[in-house]
Amino acid sequence: MTKILLSLALTVTMYAECTQSQYNNAIHIWGNSIHKKGTQKRNLLTKADNACPNIPIVLLDLKILEAEHNSSSNMDTFKNLKNLSNTLYIDDTERQIKHKYNTAIIINVLWLNYLEKQEAKLASQKGLDTTEIVTYQKWIKQLKSKRSTDDILKAISTIGGLYKADLLFDKNKFKIKNKPLAQDIISTIHAELKNNKDALFGLEGGASSEGNAAYNNTLSKNRAKSLKSMILNQHPQYKNNIKVFAAGESQLVCEAGLLPEINPQGEYQCITKEDREKSRRVSIRRVK
C-alpha cells in the first residue's frame, strides 16, 4: 500500500512510462471499480494501479477507501483528502470529470459522518465544556452547506445536466423562499462561468397542477425570472448566459415511484399537498 501514500498532486508525466494501451487498460479497470464496494473495489483499484502506476484519480479513490475503513481517520485525514481532490489532475474525459465531483461529495459525507459521531460522543460526556461541541456543530453546518454546492456542481458540470433545486414557492407566488440554497446555486454557476464563459444555463420554472395551464405557465416563468434576477444582481456580466423557461405544470413532482394522476378535466395532477408544494420549484439545466 506504499503507493497509496504518494502525493496525488501529480501530472501526466508521472505515469508517462506506461504505454497508451497500459493506461487505457488501467482506466478501464478503474471504471469498473466506481460502483463497487469494500474488498471488491479495493482489488480493482489495486489492479488498476498495478497496470499503470500513479494515475492520480486511481490513487485518490484508494486513499478515500482507506480513510473510510481506517478507525484512526481524523480531521486532518479529511482535510488532506479534500485538498488532494481539489488539486487533482485528471485527463479531460467526461467520466473522470464527473467522478472528480463525486469524490468531493464522498469525502464530505465521510467527514460529516465523522463530525456527527464526534459531536455525539462529546455530548454524552457529563460536565464537558460545551465550547468544543459548538465548534463541531459549526463545522457540521458548513459541511452540509458545502455538500449542497457539490450536488449542484455535479449536476450542472456537463451539458444536459439537470439540478432539481428545492427552491420552493408559496401558492401563486414567485418570491424564492429559501435564499441560502439560491445563493449556493448562484455561487456554483458563477464558478462554472469563470472557467467556461460560453456556458449556457436554463432556469426552468415549475408549478403545481392547481389553476389553469396558461396561468401556471406564466407563474412558472416568473419563478425562473426571480432566480435570474438574483443571479444578475450579483453578476450582471452573465445576462447572456442565463435563459428562463416556463415548464408550467408539465414537470410535476409526485411521490417516489408514482406518476401524476389524471383529473376529470383530463389534466395531470399530484395527489398530495406535499407533492403540490414540491412542484412549485425552479430547476437548473446546463444547456451548453
Side-chain angles (χ1 to χ4, degrees):
M1 296 292 287
T2 54
K3 292 176 183 175
I4 301 174
L5 302 177
L6 294 173
S7 170
L8 299 181
L10 303 171
T11 64
V12 68
T13 56
M14 291 197 71
Y15 50 87
E17 68 269 15
C18 297
T19 66
Q20 187 65 47
S21 175
Q22 289 171 326
Y23 173 78
N24 291 343
N25 181 44
I27 289 297
H28 175 74
I29 297 168
W30 163 79
N32 290 335
S33 76
I34 290 175
H35 299 295
K36 299 293 191 296
K37 295 182 179 180
T39 302
Q40 193 174 17
K41 185 181 186 74
R42 185 186 303 278
N43 289 342
L44 285 169
L45 289 171
T46 303
K47 185 177 179 181
D49 191 42
N50 289 334
C52 182
N54 300 332
I55 298 176
I57 202 162
V58 174
L59 294 180
L60 178 58
D61 277 4
L62 277 166
K63 286 190 76 72
I64 290 173
L65 196 63
E66 183 181 29
E68 185 178 6
H69 297 283
N70 191 339
S71 59
S72 62
S73 293
N74 54 32
M75 286 288 291
D76 287 338
T77 302
F78 299 113
K79 286 181 180 179
N80 289 336
L81 280 176
K82 198 67 178 177
N83 289 334
L84 293 170
S85 178
N86 290 340
T87 59
L88 177 67
Y89 173 87
I90 55 175
D91 287 340
D92 190 16
T93 64
E94 184 174 331
R95 183 171 58 170
Q96 289 192 49
I97 290 171
K98 280 186 176 181
H99 191 68
K100 179 175 179 177
Y101 293 128
N102 282 337
T103 60
I105 295 170
I106 292 167
I107 293 166
N108 271 348
V109 169
L110 292 174
W111 196 349
L112 185 59
N113 288 341
Y114 166 79
L115 288 174
E116 288 178 335
K117 288 178 181 177
Q118 292 298 112
E119 180 199 17
K121 183 178 178 181
L122 288 172
S124 68
Q125 298 177 17
K126 294 182 179 180
L128 184 74
D129 183 357
T130 59
T131 304
E132 194 171 358
I133 297 177
V134 171
T135 301
Y136 275 101
Q137 290 172 340
K138 180 181 177 181
W139 285 334
I140 289 169
K141 183 178 179 181
Q142 290 174 342
L143 271 180
K144 285 183 175 178
S145 174
K146 184 63 174 67
R147 186 167 64 182
S148 170
T149 304
D150 287 334
D151 288 343
I152 301 166
L153 192 57
K154 176 187 173 185
I156 66 173
S157 62
T158 56
I159 295 173
L162 178 66
Y163 178 68
K164 295 183 178 180
D166 288 325
L167 280 177
L168 306 183
F169 302 82
D170 288 328
K171 184 178 179 180
N172 296 325
K173 304 295 184 183
F174 49 87
K175 181 179 179 180
I176 296 172
K177 291 174 67 175
N178 41 349
K179 295 293 179 66
L181 178 57
Q183 189 56 56
D184 284 345
I185 292 168
I186 293 168
S187 299
T188 308
I189 288 177
H190 174 54
E192 280 289 286
L193 286 170
K194 281 201 305 182
N195 296 325
N196 184 357
K197 291 181 171 52
D198 294 325
L200 180 64
F201 295 95
L203 311 181
E204 301 177 357
S208 67
S209 57
E210 299 166 282
N212 67 67
Y215 172 81
N216 285 332
N217 203 58
T218 300
L219 180 60
S220 67
K221 190 167 188 177
N222 285 335
R223 287 169 174 165
K225 285 181 177 179
S226 292
L227 179 56
K228 181 176 181 179
S229 294
M230 282 190 67
I231 296 171
L232 296 187
N233 281 341
Q234 297 181 36
H235 306 289
Q237 69 273 29
Y238 297 145
K239 65 178 181 179
N240 295 325
N241 301 93
I242 310 293
K243 305 295 181 185
V244 296
F245 300 93
E249 57 189 59
S250 66
Q251 302 291 333
L252 300 179
V253 181
C254 291
E255 290 180 328
L258 295 180
L259 295 174
E261 292 188 348
I262 299 178
N263 65 19
Q265 290 73 41
E267 298 175 323
Y268 285 101
Q269 62 179 8
C270 291
I271 60 176
T272 69
K273 177 177 180 290
E274 289 76 18
D275 289 336
R276 291 192 291 272
E277 290 174 347
K278 290 178 182 177
S279 293
R280 304 177 190 123
R281 67 194 305 147
V282 174
S283 297
I284 297 89
R285 186 183 299 276
R286 175 74 173 268
V287 180
K288 176 183 175 185

